[in-house]
Amino acid sequence: MQDKYHPATIESAAQKFWAEARSFEVTEDADRPKYYCLSMFPYPSGKLHMGHVRNYTIGDVISRMYRMRGYNVMQPMGWDAFGMPAENAAIQHNVPPAQWTYANIDYMRAQLKRLGFGIDWSRELATCAPDYYRWEQWLFTRLYAKGLIYKKAGTVNWDPVDETVLANEQVIDGRGWRSGALIEKREIPMYYMKITAYADELLAALDDLPGWPEQVKLMQKNWIGRSEGVEIHFPYDLETIGAAGVLKVFTTRADTLMGATYVAVAAEHPLALQAAQDNPALAAFIAECQHGSVAEADLAAMEKKGMDTGLRVVHPISGEFLPVWVANYVLMGYGEGAVMAVPAHDERDFAFAQGYGLPIVPVIAPGEWGQAVDTASSVFNDASAKLSAGAPILVGASATEALAWSHWQDVFAEHGKLVNSGKYDGLRSMEAVDAIATDLAAKGLGEKRVQYRLRDWGISRQRYWGCPIPMVHCDHCGDVPVPDAQLPVVLPENVEITGHGSPLARMPEFYDCTCPACGRPARRETDTMDTFVESSWYFLRYACANNAEAMLDARANHWAPVDQYVGGIEHAILHLLYSRFFTRAMRDEGLTEVSEPFTNLLTQGMVIADTYYRESGDGKKQWINPADVDVARDDKGRVTAATLRADGQPVVIGGTEKMSKSKNNGVDPQALVDQYGADTARFFIIFTSPPEQQLEWSDSGVEGAHRFLRRVWAFAHRFATEIRPALPAQRAATLPGALADVRRELHSHLKQANYDLGKHQFNTVASATMKMLNALEKAPADAPAAHAQLVEEGLAILLRVLAPITPHIAHALWREGGFGDDILDAGWPEVDEAALVQDEIELVLQINGKLRGSLTVAADAPREAIEKAALAHEAAVKFMDGKPARKVVVVPGRLVNVVC
RNA sequence: GCCCGGAUGGUGAAAUCGGUAGACACAAGAGACUUAAAAUCUCUCGGCCUUUGGCUGUGCGGGUUCGAUUCCCGCUCCGGGCACCA
């Protein structure tokens, strides 16, 4: 045995052992419970970054722990290989996206292998391979036939200079990131998946996911956004609109209907377009609304603007005319593209009404005013209460409860009692909704219904590096799905990427085709699918990745669902929701038996790092990697200045953000692995923070992790060479006092480690292994046989707890220590509860809640004895200062608090 | 703007059901060993004070409780998501 720890040698030897033994290649096994442990597959961006190392180390710790506990563990890996960065790289470096992607995959696969993850590489898949995406195309045609995929217009970011569609990420301050051109919204036809058909199921099933973090379930619940409300129809005013019809809106606050003072429609709404025809100012306003990104975050941050169309609709209850406004905050994609505005009870409407001088009519006395509202004498019942914006009105029941409606207060949005609402006065909000819905239904002008915030999933992308949408457009037959026999529609790999327009739309050799239905010349669809589609079913494909005949087979039902899914919290909504939907869509196609793809979810906190950039002349940001930057700090450690190492000139300090390719703040783990080895990198990233917590990257502390592994090696070496020979032929049943204490400490650390493993708090598991070594190192050796017996047991525990985190060193020392051939088959260590028993325990003594001392009592001491001992304690006498004890709180096993 | 999180020493963090705040480490300082350095080992290490003791301290302001890092109310700052980054 080497007396020094040489990670490079032992790590390559262990990896060779696993490869030759095929330790991680698994098949279905009826004798062992299956455990499917999956980490989110990476986008092959070039190199692994710390977020990957963290993600895959966490997944590997769980996998190896279950493996050691006797489960048949499948841990696969693959590549989320389609996506925008490959096209950007193609533009920048003039290398075809396919070539760039495959080269990255090769490099990153080698990095993953170097880190020693227990992956079944026989199941590896890449989503950009035709034998993967052909099944996606096949399923597309099935779902299309079923009506679960359909076509409608969608809004995109259009760059008029590059004549291309941009992702939201590529629009910065309303301009194209490459061209700098002002971005326009443009409506184009797109394919949509009807995820809303599953909205109720996706929502209800969240209640049956105890293995998911509450936080994620809450985010998904809010995202789906089920709301019960009333659809209200406002009949067109014939005089101004010139045609019969109704304007439909949905509201959850039908109780405020009598306070509606205008309606607002989206800029793309038919009424807005109609009014703009003979109103140049309105047309100009609508054109202005067309500028800027389609991202909701941008829209929500915009100043609320609007314009009167001059059109009017009729209030369905009062019969009064309400003006129709165009407002930039109303989105055509949501509901009906129109809202009723009740400025008195909605903050956004309130601000809008104040800005444009629209009437504000209070119709709800806020809930907290309760019974005190005297509607008879209230100004609510006075017609003059319809005040213009800005004019203060005093409302309320009592002299002490006066509110001015000139400034928004959150209480205005609360439910309460109706006032100023004619026949509905005095009703509570909920009663009023019922009454108003009933009256509207009787008039045929509305009814109760459920609405979701969730929108259908637009999957068309006007990009090259994605899965081609298997459709053909024929002048005679319309949109025709590509028949099974002609699948896959293969994406051509030798293509020129310029950043202008869609490459496939410039390739007649791709789009020229014949109609599968009538045989006449036709045009192939040139849009590709959203890359979220590939990642919505890869976890099922892993089970049968080598099946060339079908998308899934019986093996998928053996392995699914994923028992433990590990991935970044940033995927809490989109990826996870799409996957839950897609699994159900596949279930309903008879492809899988499961509905819920991921039984347990661990959302890893992101690894974040500082960002640095320089602005070039045209205002574009060049992001600079932190590794190339020198920083100056003040005495509190805050970064005050940063310079580029290459030229010594200053760079701009950006925020601290998740490591990403686009912000160039990823830290490559390779240097760490090269210098210290994979085990140190793994131990460090596990030790430094609990998995769910965000981790601000810093490599200070890596030394300590490495030092610990060196100590483990040195101690095991001492065991193998000096201590082991002293082992007694017969192991003793009990150990002498001091060694029994060490043994108790050991087993209590093991117990703690098991508890922490159960809640995935791996950082304290790593701490526990350090505490175990500390305890073993200080165990007295004056009784050599007993000492050797303790160290043998202790080391066997320590190495097995360490094995999931640092598998290479554990593998090597398990063999060197003579414990066995393969620690993977050694089983998980068991806590000896008998070793934990103590005769005496120490209690903390508090006087009036303050720590004043401690007392040692028998473990089974009765409460009276503890109280008596506490009151007799010297610290108690001193701090009670002669006062009688008013109360004595005894927390068994913990403390005594004397209150006086 | 909306939804979801987070904040504890110089640093990463721990504290299982409301019960000793700072386990385990990093950094720093002092010492031992050494010709020297590295490595290793030992000790100190939240702040303040009148230092065998006491006061104070878990982002800020309130509250509940014998007792609050933990529960409640109101803020601040930081991070994630917002449907075309993945």
Short mmCIF file of all heavy atoms in Angstrom, two decimals, chain A residues 825-879:
data_model
loop_
_atom_site.label_atom_id
_atom_site.label_comp_id
_atom_site.label_asym_id
_atom_site.label_seq_id
_atom_site.Cartn_x
_atom_site.Cartn_y
_atom_site.Cartn_z
N ASP A 825 -20.50 -3.57 -2.77
CA ASP A 825 -21.28 -4.73 -2.33
C ASP A 825 -21.20 -4.95 -0.83
O ASP A 825 -21.60 -6.00 -0.32
CB ASP A 825 -20.78 -5.99 -3.06
CG ASP A 825 -21.03 -5.91 -4.55
OD1 ASP A 825 -22.04 -5.28 -4.94
OD2 ASP A 825 -20.22 -6.44 -5.32
N ALA A 826 -20.63 -3.97 -0.10
CA ALA A 826 -20.37 -4.18 1.33
C ALA A 826 -21.60 -3.96 2.21
O ALA A 826 -21.58 -4.28 3.39
CB ALA A 826 -19.23 -3.27 1.78
N GLY A 827 -22.66 -3.43 1.65
CA GLY A 827 -23.83 -3.13 2.47
C GLY A 827 -23.63 -1.85 3.25
O GLY A 827 -22.51 -1.35 3.39
N TRP A 828 -24.73 -1.30 3.73
CA TRP A 828 -24.65 -0.04 4.47
C TRP A 828 -24.44 -0.33 5.95
O TRP A 828 -25.05 -1.27 6.47
CB TRP A 828 -25.94 0.77 4.25
CG TRP A 828 -25.78 2.20 4.68
CD1 TRP A 828 -26.29 2.77 5.81
CD2 TRP A 828 -25.03 3.20 4.01
NE1 TRP A 828 -25.91 4.08 5.88
CE2 TRP A 828 -25.13 4.37 4.79
CE3 TRP A 828 -24.27 3.23 2.83
CZ2 TRP A 828 -24.51 5.57 4.41
CZ3 TRP A 828 -23.66 4.42 2.47
CH2 TRP A 828 -23.78 5.57 3.26
N PRO A 829 -23.59 0.41 6.65
CA PRO A 829 -23.33 0.13 8.07
C PRO A 829 -24.58 0.34 8.93
O PRO A 829 -25.39 1.22 8.63
CB PRO A 829 -22.24 1.12 8.44
CG PRO A 829 -22.30 2.20 7.42
CD PRO A 829 -22.78 1.55 6.16
N GLU A 830 -24.69 -0.44 9.97
CA GLU A 830 -25.86 -0.34 10.85
C GLU A 830 -25.50 0.26 12.20
O GLU A 830 -24.43 -0.02 12.75
CB GLU A 830 -26.49 -1.71 11.04
CG GLU A 830 -27.17 -2.18 9.78
CD GLU A 830 -28.02 -3.40 9.99
OE1 GLU A 830 -28.37 -3.69 11.15
OE2 GLU A 830 -28.32 -4.06 8.99
N VAL A 831 -26.41 1.08 12.71
CA VAL A 831 -26.20 1.71 14.01
C VAL A 831 -26.43 0.67 15.11
O VAL A 831 -27.42 -0.04 15.08
CB VAL A 831 -27.17 2.89 14.21
CG1 VAL A 831 -27.00 3.50 15.59
CG2 VAL A 831 -26.98 3.93 13.11
N ASP A 832 -25.50 0.58 16.05
CA ASP A 832 -25.70 -0.27 17.22
C ASP A 832 -26.32 0.59 18.31
O ASP A 832 -25.63 1.36 18.98
CB ASP A 832 -24.35 -0.85 17.67
CG ASP A 832 -24.52 -1.74 18.89
OD1 ASP A 832 -25.67 -1.93 19.35
OD2 ASP A 832 -23.49 -2.23 19.39
N GLU A 833 -27.64 0.48 18.46
CA GLU A 833 -28.35 1.33 19.42
C GLU A 833 -27.82 1.12 20.84
O GLU A 833 -27.80 2.04 21.65
CB GLU A 833 -29.86 1.06 19.38
CG GLU A 833 -30.54 1.50 18.08
CD GLU A 833 -30.64 3.02 17.93
OE1 GLU A 833 -30.52 3.75 18.94
OE2 GLU A 833 -30.82 3.48 16.78
N ALA A 834 -27.37 -0.12 21.12
CA ALA A 834 -26.86 -0.42 22.46
C ALA A 834 -25.64 0.42 22.78
O ALA A 834 -25.40 0.76 23.95
CB ALA A 834 -26.55 -1.91 22.56
N ALA A 835 -24.88 0.77 21.76
CA ALA A 835 -23.66 1.55 21.99
C ALA A 835 -24.00 2.98 22.38
O ALA A 835 -23.14 3.71 22.90
CB ALA A 835 -22.80 1.54 20.73
N LEU A 836 -25.23 3.41 22.11
CA LEU A 836 -25.58 4.82 22.33
C LEU A 836 -26.08 5.10 23.75
O LEU A 836 -26.20 6.26 24.14
CB LEU A 836 -26.66 5.24 21.32
CG LEU A 836 -26.28 5.10 19.85
CD1 LEU A 836 -27.47 5.45 18.95
CD2 LEU A 836 -25.09 5.98 19.51
N VAL A 837 -26.38 4.04 24.48
CA VAL A 837 -26.98 4.21 25.80
C VAL A 837 -26.00 4.88 26.77
O VAL A 837 -24.83 4.53 26.83
CB VAL A 837 -27.42 2.85 26.36
CG1 VAL A 837 -27.95 3.01 27.79
CG2 VAL A 837 -28.48 2.24 25.47
N GLN A 838 -26.52 5.86 27.51
CA GLN A 838 -25.69 6.56 28.50
C GLN A 838 -26.38 6.52 29.86
O GLN A 838 -27.60 6.63 29.95
CB GLN A 838 -25.50 8.03 28.10
CG GLN A 838 -24.39 8.25 27.11
CD GLN A 838 -24.25 9.71 26.77
OE1 GLN A 838 -25.08 10.26 26.06
NE2 GLN A 838 -23.22 10.35 27.30
N ASP A 839 -25.59 6.36 30.93
CA ASP A 839 -26.15 6.31 32.27
C ASP A 839 -26.47 7.71 32.80
O ASP A 839 -27.47 7.93 33.46
CB ASP A 839 -25.16 5.66 33.25
CG ASP A 839 -24.83 4.24 32.82
OD1 ASP A 839 -25.63 3.68 32.05
OD2 ASP A 839 -23.78 3.73 33.24
N GLU A 840 -25.59 8.63 32.51
CA GLU A 840 -25.75 9.99 33.03
C GLU A 840 -25.82 10.98 31.88
O GLU A 840 -25.17 10.79 30.86
CB GLU A 840 -24.54 10.36 33.90
CG GLU A 840 -24.52 9.64 35.23
CD GLU A 840 -23.49 10.27 36.17
OE1 GLU A 840 -22.42 10.64 35.67
OE2 GLU A 840 -23.78 10.40 37.37
N ILE A 841 -26.63 12.00 32.04
CA ILE A 841 -26.69 13.03 31.01
C ILE A 841 -26.52 14.41 31.62
O ILE A 841 -26.75 14.60 32.82
CB ILE A 841 -28.04 12.98 30.23
CG1 ILE A 841 -29.21 12.98 31.22
CG2 ILE A 841 -28.08 11.79 29.32
CD1 ILE A 841 -30.54 13.10 30.56
N GLU A 842 -26.11 15.34 30.81
CA GLU A 842 -25.88 16.69 31.27
C GLU A 842 -27.04 17.57 30.82
O GLU A 842 -27.43 17.55 29.66
CB GLU A 842 -24.57 17.22 30.70
CG GLU A 842 -24.08 18.47 31.39
CD GLU A 842 -22.71 18.91 30.89
OE1 GLU A 842 -22.68 19.58 29.84
OE2 GLU A 842 -21.70 18.57 31.51
N LEU A 843 -27.63 18.31 31.78
CA LEU A 843 -28.70 19.24 31.44
C LEU A 843 -28.21 20.67 31.58
O LEU A 843 -27.40 20.97 32.45
CB LEU A 843 -29.89 19.03 32.39
CG LEU A 843 -30.61 17.69 32.35
CD1 LEU A 843 -31.78 17.70 33.32
CD2 LEU A 843 -31.09 17.37 30.95
N VAL A 844 -28.74 21.51 30.73
CA VAL A 844 -28.41 22.93 30.81
C VAL A 844 -29.31 23.56 31.88
O VAL A 844 -30.49 23.23 31.98
CB VAL A 844 -28.66 23.59 29.44
CG1 VAL A 844 -28.84 25.08 29.58
CG2 VAL A 844 -27.52 23.27 28.50
N LEU A 845 -28.70 24.43 32.68
CA LEU A 845 -29.49 25.12 33.71
C LEU A 845 -29.68 26.57 33.32
O LEU A 845 -28.71 27.31 33.12
CB LEU A 845 -28.77 25.03 35.07
CG LEU A 845 -29.43 25.82 36.21
CD1 LEU A 845 -30.83 25.29 36.51
CD2 LEU A 845 -28.56 25.81 37.45
N GLN A 846 -30.95 26.96 33.18
CA GLN A 846 -31.25 28.37 32.89
C GLN A 846 -31.99 28.97 34.07
O GLN A 846 -32.80 28.29 34.72
CB GLN A 846 -32.15 28.48 31.65
CG GLN A 846 -31.50 28.06 30.35
CD GLN A 846 -32.41 28.29 29.17
OE1 GLN A 846 -33.63 28.43 29.32
NE2 GLN A 846 -31.84 28.35 27.98
N ILE A 847 -31.68 30.24 34.36
CA ILE A 847 -32.47 31.00 35.33
C ILE A 847 -33.09 32.15 34.54
O ILE A 847 -32.37 32.92 33.91
CB ILE A 847 -31.60 31.57 36.48
CG1 ILE A 847 -30.70 30.49 37.08
CG2 ILE A 847 -32.50 32.23 37.53
CD1 ILE A 847 -31.42 29.32 37.71
N ASN A 848 -34.41 32.20 34.51
CA ASN A 848 -35.13 33.20 33.71
C ASN A 848 -34.68 33.20 32.25
O ASN A 848 -34.51 34.26 31.64
CB ASN A 848 -34.96 34.61 34.32
CG ASN A 848 -35.76 34.74 35.61
OD1 ASN A 848 -36.81 34.11 35.76
ND2 ASN A 848 -35.25 35.52 36.55
N GLY A 849 -34.46 32.01 31.72
CA GLY A 849 -34.14 31.90 30.30
C GLY A 849 -32.69 32.15 29.96
O GLY A 849 -32.33 32.11 28.79
N LYS A 850 -31.86 32.44 30.97
CA LYS A 850 -30.45 32.69 30.67
C LYS A 850 -29.60 31.54 31.16
O LYS A 850 -29.80 31.01 32.26
CB LYS A 850 -29.98 33.99 31.34
CG LYS A 850 -30.63 35.18 30.70
CD LYS A 850 -29.90 36.47 31.01
CE LYS A 850 -30.55 37.59 30.23
NZ LYS A 850 -29.94 38.88 30.48
N LEU A 851 -28.62 31.18 30.32
CA LEU A 851 -27.74 30.07 30.63
C LEU A 851 -26.87 30.40 31.83
O LEU A 851 -26.15 31.39 31.84
CB LEU A 851 -26.85 29.80 29.41
CG LEU A 851 -25.80 28.69 29.57
CD1 LEU A 851 -26.48 27.35 29.69
CD2 LEU A 851 -24.83 28.71 28.41
N ARG A 852 -26.99 29.58 32.90
CA ARG A 852 -26.22 29.87 34.12
C ARG A 852 -25.36 28.70 34.58
O ARG A 852 -24.64 28.83 35.55
CB ARG A 852 -27.17 30.24 35.26
CG ARG A 852 -27.97 31.50 35.02
CD ARG A 852 -27.10 32.71 34.83
NE ARG A 852 -27.90 33.93 34.69
CZ ARG A 852 -27.40 35.11 34.36
NH1 ARG A 852 -26.10 35.25 34.14
NH2 ARG A 852 -28.18 36.16 34.25
N GLY A 853 -25.49 27.56 33.97
CA GLY A 853 -24.69 26.43 34.40
C GLY A 853 -25.23 25.14 33.82
O GLY A 853 -26.07 25.15 32.93
N SER A 854 -24.71 24.05 34.35
CA SER A 854 -25.21 22.76 33.88
C SER A 854 -25.20 21.78 35.04
O SER A 854 -24.49 21.98 36.04
CB SER A 854 -24.34 22.24 32.74
OG SER A 854 -23.05 21.93 33.23
N LEU A 855 -26.03 20.75 34.95
CA LEU A 855 -26.01 19.74 36.01
C LEU A 855 -26.08 18.35 35.38
O LEU A 855 -26.72 18.16 34.34
CB LEU A 855 -27.14 19.95 37.03
CG LEU A 855 -28.58 20.01 36.59
CD1 LEU A 855 -29.48 19.70 37.79
CD2 LEU A 855 -28.90 21.40 36.09
N THR A 856 -25.38 17.41 36.04
CA THR A 856 -25.35 16.05 35.55
C THR A 856 -26.33 15.22 36.37
O THR A 856 -26.30 15.26 37.60
CB THR A 856 -23.93 15.48 35.70
OG1 THR A 856 -23.02 16.38 35.04
CG2 THR A 856 -23.82 14.10 35.08
N VAL A 857 -27.22 14.53 35.66
CA VAL A 857 -28.20 13.72 36.37
C VAL A 857 -28.25 12.33 35.73
O VAL A 857 -27.78 12.14 34.61
CB VAL A 857 -29.61 14.34 36.31
CG1 VAL A 857 -29.65 15.69 37.00
CG2 VAL A 857 -30.08 14.46 34.87
N ALA A 858 -28.82 11.37 36.47
CA ALA A 858 -29.01 10.04 35.92
C ALA A 858 -29.95 10.14 34.72
O ALA A 858 -30.87 10.96 34.71
CB ALA A 858 -29.60 9.12 36.98
N ALA A 859 -29.71 9.31 33.70
CA ALA A 859 -30.50 9.39 32.47
C ALA A 859 -31.99 9.18 32.74
O ALA A 859 -32.84 9.74 32.05
CB ALA A 859 -30.01 8.36 31.45
N ASP A 860 -32.29 8.40 33.79
CA ASP A 860 -33.70 8.12 34.06
C ASP A 860 -34.21 8.89 35.29
O ASP A 860 -35.19 8.51 35.89
CB ASP A 860 -33.90 6.61 34.27
CG ASP A 860 -33.00 6.06 35.38
OD1 ASP A 860 -32.20 6.86 35.93
OD2 ASP A 860 -33.11 4.87 35.70
N ALA A 861 -33.54 9.99 35.63
CA ALA A 861 -33.94 10.75 36.82
C ALA A 861 -35.35 11.29 36.66
O ALA A 861 -35.70 11.83 35.60
CB ALA A 861 -32.97 11.91 37.04
N PRO A 862 -36.19 11.15 37.71
CA PRO A 862 -37.55 11.69 37.63
C PRO A 862 -37.51 13.21 37.68
O PRO A 862 -36.57 13.82 38.17
CB PRO A 862 -38.24 11.11 38.85
CG PRO A 862 -37.14 10.79 39.80
CD PRO A 862 -35.94 10.46 38.98
N ARG A 863 -38.57 13.80 37.18
CA ARG A 863 -38.70 15.25 37.08
C ARG A 863 -38.45 15.95 38.42
O ARG A 863 -37.76 16.97 38.48
CB ARG A 863 -40.11 15.54 36.56
CG ARG A 863 -40.35 16.97 36.23
CD ARG A 863 -41.84 17.25 36.02
NE ARG A 863 -42.02 18.68 36.04
CZ ARG A 863 -41.89 19.46 34.98
NH1 ARG A 863 -41.64 18.93 33.81
NH2 ARG A 863 -42.04 20.77 35.08
N GLU A 864 -39.02 15.39 39.50
CA GLU A 864 -38.88 16.01 40.81
C GLU A 864 -37.42 16.09 41.23
O GLU A 864 -36.96 17.11 41.76
CB GLU A 864 -39.66 15.22 41.88
CG GLU A 864 -41.17 15.13 41.66
CD GLU A 864 -41.56 14.20 40.51
OE1 GLU A 864 -40.94 13.12 40.37
OE2 GLU A 864 -42.45 14.58 39.73
N ALA A 865 -36.68 15.02 40.93
CA ALA A 865 -35.27 14.98 41.30
C ALA A 865 -34.48 16.03 40.53
O ALA A 865 -33.58 16.69 41.06
CB ALA A 865 -34.70 13.59 41.05
N ILE A 866 -34.85 16.21 39.25
CA ILE A 866 -34.15 17.19 38.42
C ILE A 866 -34.44 18.60 38.95
O ILE A 866 -33.53 19.42 39.10
CB ILE A 866 -34.60 17.06 36.95
CG1 ILE A 866 -34.11 15.71 36.40
CG2 ILE A 866 -34.07 18.20 36.13
CD1 ILE A 866 -34.65 15.37 35.02
N GLU A 867 -35.70 18.88 39.27
CA GLU A 867 -36.06 20.20 39.80
C GLU A 867 -35.31 20.48 41.09
O GLU A 867 -34.79 21.58 41.30
CB GLU A 867 -37.58 20.25 40.09
CG GLU A 867 -38.40 20.47 38.86
CD GLU A 867 -39.87 20.75 39.20
OE1 GLU A 867 -40.16 21.26 40.30
OE2 GLU A 867 -40.73 20.43 38.34
N LYS A 868 -35.26 19.46 41.91
CA LYS A 868 -34.60 19.61 43.21
C LYS A 868 -33.12 19.90 43.03
O LYS A 868 -32.56 20.82 43.64
CB LYS A 868 -34.79 18.31 44.02
CG LYS A 868 -34.76 18.51 45.51
CD LYS A 868 -35.06 17.21 46.23
CE LYS A 868 -34.37 17.19 47.59
NZ LYS A 868 -34.35 15.84 48.16
N ALA A 869 -32.49 19.14 42.11
CA ALA A 869 -31.06 19.33 41.84
C ALA A 869 -30.82 20.72 41.26
O ALA A 869 -29.83 21.38 41.58
CB ALA A 869 -30.57 18.25 40.90
N ALA A 870 -31.73 21.16 40.41
CA ALA A 870 -31.57 22.47 39.78
C ALA A 870 -31.64 23.59 40.81
O ALA A 870 -30.80 24.49 40.83
CB ALA A 870 -32.65 22.66 38.72
N LEU A 871 -32.65 23.51 41.70
CA LEU A 871 -32.83 24.57 42.70
C LEU A 871 -31.69 24.59 43.71
O LEU A 871 -31.38 25.63 44.29
CB LEU A 871 -34.18 24.39 43.41
CG LEU A 871 -35.38 24.67 42.50
CD1 LEU A 871 -36.68 24.26 43.17
CD2 LEU A 871 -35.42 26.14 42.10
N ALA A 872 -31.05 23.43 43.89
CA ALA A 872 -29.95 23.36 44.85
C ALA A 872 -28.63 23.78 44.23
O ALA A 872 -27.64 23.99 44.91
CB ALA A 872 -29.84 21.92 45.37
N HIS A 873 -28.62 23.93 42.91
CA HIS A 873 -27.39 24.25 42.20
C HIS A 873 -26.86 25.62 42.61
O HIS A 873 -27.64 26.56 42.81
CB HIS A 873 -27.66 24.21 40.69
CG HIS A 873 -26.42 24.21 39.84
ND1 HIS A 873 -25.71 25.33 39.55
CD2 HIS A 873 -25.77 23.19 39.23
CE1 HIS A 873 -24.67 25.02 38.79
NE2 HIS A 873 -24.69 23.71 38.58
N GLU A 874 -25.55 25.72 42.70
CA GLU A 874 -24.93 26.95 43.18
C GLU A 874 -25.29 28.16 42.30
O GLU A 874 -25.58 29.25 42.80
CB GLU A 874 -23.42 26.71 43.27
CG GLU A 874 -22.53 27.74 42.63
CD GLU A 874 -21.07 27.29 42.59
OE1 GLU A 874 -20.74 26.27 41.93
OE2 GLU A 874 -20.27 27.99 43.22
N ALA A 875 -25.37 27.94 40.97
CA ALA A 875 -25.72 29.05 40.07
C ALA A 875 -27.17 29.48 40.30
O ALA A 875 -27.50 30.67 40.21
CB ALA A 875 -25.53 28.61 38.62
N ALA A 876 -28.03 28.51 40.61
CA ALA A 876 -29.44 28.84 40.86
C ALA A 876 -29.56 29.69 42.13
O ALA A 876 -30.24 30.72 42.14
CB ALA A 876 -30.26 27.56 40.99
N VAL A 877 -28.86 29.29 43.16
CA VAL A 877 -28.89 30.04 44.42
C VAL A 877 -28.43 31.48 44.17
O VAL A 877 -29.05 32.44 44.61
CB VAL A 877 -27.99 29.35 45.47
CG1 VAL A 877 -27.91 30.20 46.74
CG2 VAL A 877 -28.53 27.96 45.78
N LYS A 878 -27.34 31.60 43.40
CA LYS A 878 -26.76 32.92 43.16
C LYS A 878 -27.71 33.82 42.36
O LYS A 878 -27.97 34.97 42.73
CB LYS A 878 -25.45 32.74 42.40
CG LYS A 878 -24.76 34.04 42.03
CD LYS A 878 -23.43 33.79 41.35
CE LYS A 878 -22.84 35.07 40.78
NZ LYS A 878 -21.74 34.79 39.84
N PHE A 879 -28.25 33.30 41.25
CA PHE A 879 -29.01 34.17 40.37
C PHE A 879 -30.48 34.33 40.76
O PHE A 879 -31.13 35.26 40.31
CB PHE A 879 -28.88 33.70 38.92
CG PHE A 879 -27.53 34.01 38.33
CD1 PHE A 879 -26.53 33.06 38.34
CD2 PHE A 879 -27.26 35.28 37.85
CE1 PHE A 879 -25.28 33.36 37.84
CE2 PHE A 879 -26.00 35.59 37.36
CZ PHE A 879 -25.00 34.63 37.35
#
